[in-house]
Amino acid sequence: MTEIKVRNYGDTLVVNNVLCIGKNYADHINEIVIPGIKNEIPKEPVVFLKPTSAIVGEGAVVSVPVVNGVKISNDIQNEVELVIVIGKDCDSVPEENALEYVYGYAVGIDFTLRDIQTECKKKGKPWAVAKGFRGSSPVSEIVKADEAGNVQDLNITLLVNGDLKQSGNTSQMIFSVKFIVSYLSKIFGLRKGDLIFTGTPAGVASLKTGDTVHAEIQNIGELNVTIG
Ligand code: MG
């Protein structure tokens, strides 16, 4: 069981499903160039899932998995993302009511094994290993929705060893928070404790062992992890 604390309250929330949106900021779509694969703004959200073992907290050490004594990737990259936390079960909720089912928000990082993901894209294979490995998604404490302000106008940043790498605003999302909640509720149904990663702005980069990563979202909080 994976639990996340709620900031300023004694509560914790048990993580249920972990859903993720890819390609939700145009500037990030444009920075991922793979020869032979056309880079288009998606007309429908790009959706993938992670196991709950991907979720870790503040201060985590995130490592590339080792199989048969060998690290499976040489290219672990940062993706800072606003995380939606679902508070009530909902199936097929219309967009105008979607925010009623949001408990709060958190700062998350969708660490990605880019070399593996690129191979998967080329071969038409799923991204699960590249995205869902153990500890791949640190999440900060949760901020309740009424303390978050306008979630479509929050500055979102990530620093590596103190250097600014990612800097964007949630207003740049292609698919909004309420659209994403409505869309996912129609397809999967959403359940209390589900986390939804909402995509990353530009500035992803290769990380190395010992790098310190600091992610921050206006009104939501911050998150610090180390690459192991
Ligand atoms: Mg991502």
Side-chain angles (χ1 to χ4, degrees):
M1 194 166 76
T2 305
E3 293 184 330
I4 310 179
K5 285 182 188 160
V6 181
R7 194 177 76 187
N8 297 334
Y9 297 84
D11 311 346
T12 57
L13 190 126
V14 177
V15 176
N16 191 33
N17 292 313
V18 183
L19 302 100
C20 306
I21 304 297
K23 300 189 172 189
N24 203 23
Y25 289 75
D27 58 354
H28 170 62
I29 295 172
N30 292 330
E31 73 179 342
I32 302 288
V33 177
I34 303 173
I37 295 180
K38 209 172 166 194
N39 233 352
E40 289 177 312
I41 303 288
K43 294 185 178 66
E44 298 284 330
V46 175
V47 183
F48 57 96
L49 307 176
K50 295 191 186 224
T52 52
S53 57
I55 304 300
V56 290
E58 167 70 24
V61 176
V62 177
S63 300
V64 173
V66 173
V67 178
N68 298 329
V70 180
K71 285 188 177 187
I72 64 170
S73 166
N74 295 311
D75 192 10
I76 182 170
Q77 297 193 357
N78 52 277
E79 295 189 2
V80 61
E81 311 202 0
L82 177 70
V83 177
I84 307 166
V85 182
I86 297 297
K88 287 188 284 189
D89 294 4
C90 60
D91 292 336
S92 301
V93 63
E95 200 177 323
E96 56 267 31
N97 301 122
L99 296 183
E100 296 169 19
Y101 297 87
V102 175
Y103 178 86
Y105 299 91
V107 182
I109 304 174
D110 168 24
F111 281 109
T112 302
L113 306 177
R114 193 72 66 195
D115 45 0
I116 293 178
Q117 188 196 30
T118 299
E119 276 307 298
C120 291
K121 284 180 175 176
K122 285 181 183 171
K123 293 176 179 168
K125 290 182 174 178
W127 301 356
V129 171
K131 291 284 197 178
F133 62 94
R134 184 177 66 241
S136 59
S137 285
V139 174
S140 72
E141 290 183 344
I142 297 164
V143 167
K144 289 194 177 184
D146 59 3
E147 298 171 15
N150 176 4
V151 289
Q152 297 304 157
D153 187 17
L154 301 177
N155 293 325
I156 177 167
T157 55
L158 182 139
L159 293 84
V160 178
N161 302 326
D163 295 332
L164 185 65
K165 298 289 186 186
Q166 294 190 267
S167 179
N169 187 282
T170 56
S171 62
Q172 298 163 325
M173 285 183 185
I174 295 165
F175 300 105
S176 68
V177 167
K178 61 184 179 183
F179 179 91
I180 290 168
V181 170
S182 172
Y183 181 83
L184 295 177
S185 79
K186 289 169 185 166
I187 295 175
F188 300 97
L190 292 171
R191 300 291 174 260
K192 181 181 179 182
D194 284 356
L195 304 182
I196 306 169
F197 284 68
T198 57
T200 196
V204 303
S206 271
L207 302 169
K208 57 186 188 308
T209 301
D211 281 349
T212 60
V213 180
H214 172 89
E216 197 164 337
I217 301 178
Q218 185 184 358
N219 296 356
I220 309 298
E222 58 178 65
L223 174 65
N224 298 282
V225 299
T226 306
I227 304 302

